[in-house]
Amino acid sequence: MKKIAPSILSADFGRLAEEIKAVEEAGADWIHLDIMDGHFVPNLTIGPPVVRALRKITSLPFDVHLMIENPDSYLDAFIDAGSDILTVHVEAATHLQRTLAYIRGRNIKAGVALNPATPLGVLEEIIDDCDLILIMTVNPGFGGQHFIPSMISKIRRTRDILAKQAKPILMEVDGGISPGNIKEVSHAGADVFVAGAAVFTSSDYSSTIKQMKEAIS
Ligand code: DX5
Ligand code: ZN
């Protein structure tokens, strides 16, 4: 089953609880939380206390995307705050295999994110240690950017790699996903679609999510 994961980066931060409730009622499958440290990416967002507070609002899975340096120093804090899936960037994790094994050892799902310029070759070495591959379709740091068209080919090549695995591994895509391009991205092979601006700047969350779900069904 393909999934829609609204990114709260484009939500109204003064009303985060209401915004999460609203996308849950509108049919969201997961909630995507973008964690930025001002070092790995040129922007700052939220930390574990906010994740913990939001955890009480919904039972939807929390898909936590760490765009931070030294992710190992914060794994426990984000897991204890209520993450269901914790994704780290290849470019930020020095000992990626150990990081992924640690996350799984704490009984949640481990994801690996690749920036647009990062080659897929790295997957060969860590594919057995992760549950989800996150293909960035923009350079991370900000919501509302345009999907990078050359990422369609990368998504197809990722699909081919994942098809050869014995165990199912989800492919998530993140950045510039909209009702206008989601069908093409889905055909290329993605399973989970993060959408920030497309959902939260729309006037009707339900109809936007419904439109996206119809396009990928
Ligand atoms: C990018 C973040 C994304 C982003 C998606 O740095 O990781 O999750 O918020 O937002 P849109 O859908 O607006 O590109
Ligand atoms: Zn993200």
Side-chain angles (χ1 to χ4, degrees):
M1 249 317 247
K2 302 216 175 197
K3 296 181 194 307
I4 303 289
S7 158
I8 60 165
L9 187 59
S10 291
D12 178 348
F13 270 42
R15 299 169 44 252
L16 270 183
E18 290 159 58
E19 292 274 68
I20 287 175
K21 267 301 180 210
V23 289
E24 176 173 18
E25 279 158 26
D29 298 296
W30 292 358
I31 301 295
H32 184 84
L33 299 106
D34 286 307
I35 312 299
M36 304 184 180
D37 68 348
H39 294 276
F40 182 68
V41 290
N43 198 0
L44 285 161
T45 56
I46 59 171
V50 179
V51 176
R52 184 186 294 275
L54 295 174
R55 185 64 283 182
K56 302 185 198 106
I57 304 302
T58 176
S59 57
L60 288 182
F62 269 11
D63 173 32
V64 176
H65 178 191
L66 295 184
M67 286 161 278
I68 63 175
E69 286 180 359
N70 303 318
D72 291 354
S73 307
Y74 300 94
L75 300 177
D76 281 326
F78 282 104
I79 295 167
D80 294 341
S83 306
D84 296 283
I85 303 133
L86 193 56
T87 296
V88 296
H89 268 261
V90 167
E91 306 84 6
T94 312
H95 305 290
L96 182 58
Q97 194 281 334
R98 182 161 66 200
T99 303
L100 297 169
Y102 187 82
I103 296 170
R104 282 179 146 185
R106 296 259 351 241
N107 294 314
I108 65 162
K109 305 277 187 212
V112 168
L114 278 71
N115 279 337
T118 300
L120 287 174
V122 65
L123 293 185
E124 269 178 51
E125 318 302 339
I126 45 85
I127 198 104
D128 292 336
D129 297 292
C130 66
D131 304 293
L132 173 145
I133 305 294
L134 172 50
I135 300 295
M136 289 306 303
T137 46
V138 298
N139 291 291
F142 303 95
Q145 303 184 81
H146 291 295
F147 181 92
I148 300 172
S150 60
M151 292 301 108
I152 289 287
S153 146
K154 192 177 189 181
I155 293 163
R156 287 200 192 104
R157 284 177 284 127
T158 306
R159 172 195 60 196
D160 294 344
I161 294 167
L162 297 185
K164 292 188 196 117
Q165 306 307 312
K167 278 188 296 178
I169 298 173
L170 291 173
M171 183 190 348
E172 182 171 38
V173 287
D174 185 3
I177 304 295
S178 70
N181 64 14
I182 194 168
K183 192 171 192 150
E184 186 187 8
V185 178
S186 176
H187 279 154
D191 305 299
V192 183
F193 303 83
V194 176
V199 170
F200 285 103
T201 66
S202 73
S203 55
D204 182 342
Y205 300 169
S206 293
S207 85
T208 304
I209 292 175
K210 187 163 172 255
Q211 222 182 318
M212 295 178 107
K213 286 194 160 181
E214 279 167 7
I216 60 178
S217 68

